[in-house]
Amino acid sequence: MIEQAFGQSSPFSVGIEEELMILDGETLALTPGVEALIGWAESRSLPGVLKMELLASMVELATEVCASPAEALAAVRELRAGAAEAATGAGLALAAAGTHPFSIPTAQQIAPDPRYRKFVEYARVAARRQAVCGLHVHIGMPGPEECMRALEGVLPWLPLMLAL
């Protein structure tokens, strides 16, 4: 069952999650560096958090709940700048793309988070192939009926958005 959180934030508030690849600063191959980035961020005041993803060679930037798209954009920019600073300090680089062009997904380390390790144990090779990154935009909805109306309104446009 997916947890529902309708009405817990202002209607049409915005939250953004962006998954980035962590690269070796010299070879640009995927490299496990998420713990260093998260450790760096823990002592900083940021408009969101840096979090683990399935692979230790990926980091997720997640904004706090924002009142407007402009505020969310500013928060993402600040999180990106912070993550880039942390990466550079650790001899790493970050990249935003769907997937890595030459690193082998199944060769990547799983993040040291029990829920991800449990997921890999369950899904096996299907999970290990998930070396993909994305950008998620969350919109605060007052209730399930409004959410369904909004979803039905955007459904015809999804193929175009995916193509772009």
Side-chain angles (χ1 to χ4, degrees), residues 69-162:
E71 183 183 332
L73 178 60
V76 166
R77 284 182 173 149
E78 189 173 338
L79 287 171
R80 284 177 181 168
E85 180 182 332
T88 300
L92 304 168
L94 298 175
T99 191
H100 195 273
F102 64 83
S103 291
I104 299 169
T106 55
Q108 303 309 307
Q109 290 181 21
I110 302 302
D113 181 313
R115 70 185 174 119
Y116 290 129
R117 294 186 184 266
K118 186 175 179 180
F119 174 67
V120 170
E121 198 176 294
Y122 166 76
R124 305 213 180 266
V125 73
R128 297 196 63 70
R129 291 181 179 155
Q130 298 301 311
V132 295
C133 296
L135 175 82
H136 312 133
V137 179
H138 300 270
I139 307 296
M141 299 303 293
E145 292 79 20
E146 294 88 351
C147 183
M148 289 307 296
R149 267 198 309 277
L151 177 62
E152 289 170 356
V154 300
L155 280 176
W157 297 97
L158 287 183
L160 176 62
M161 294 301 295
L162 289 171

Side-chain angles (χ1 to χ4, degrees), residues 1 11 45 70 74 85 101 123 140:
M1 182 71 138
S45 176
E85 180 182 332

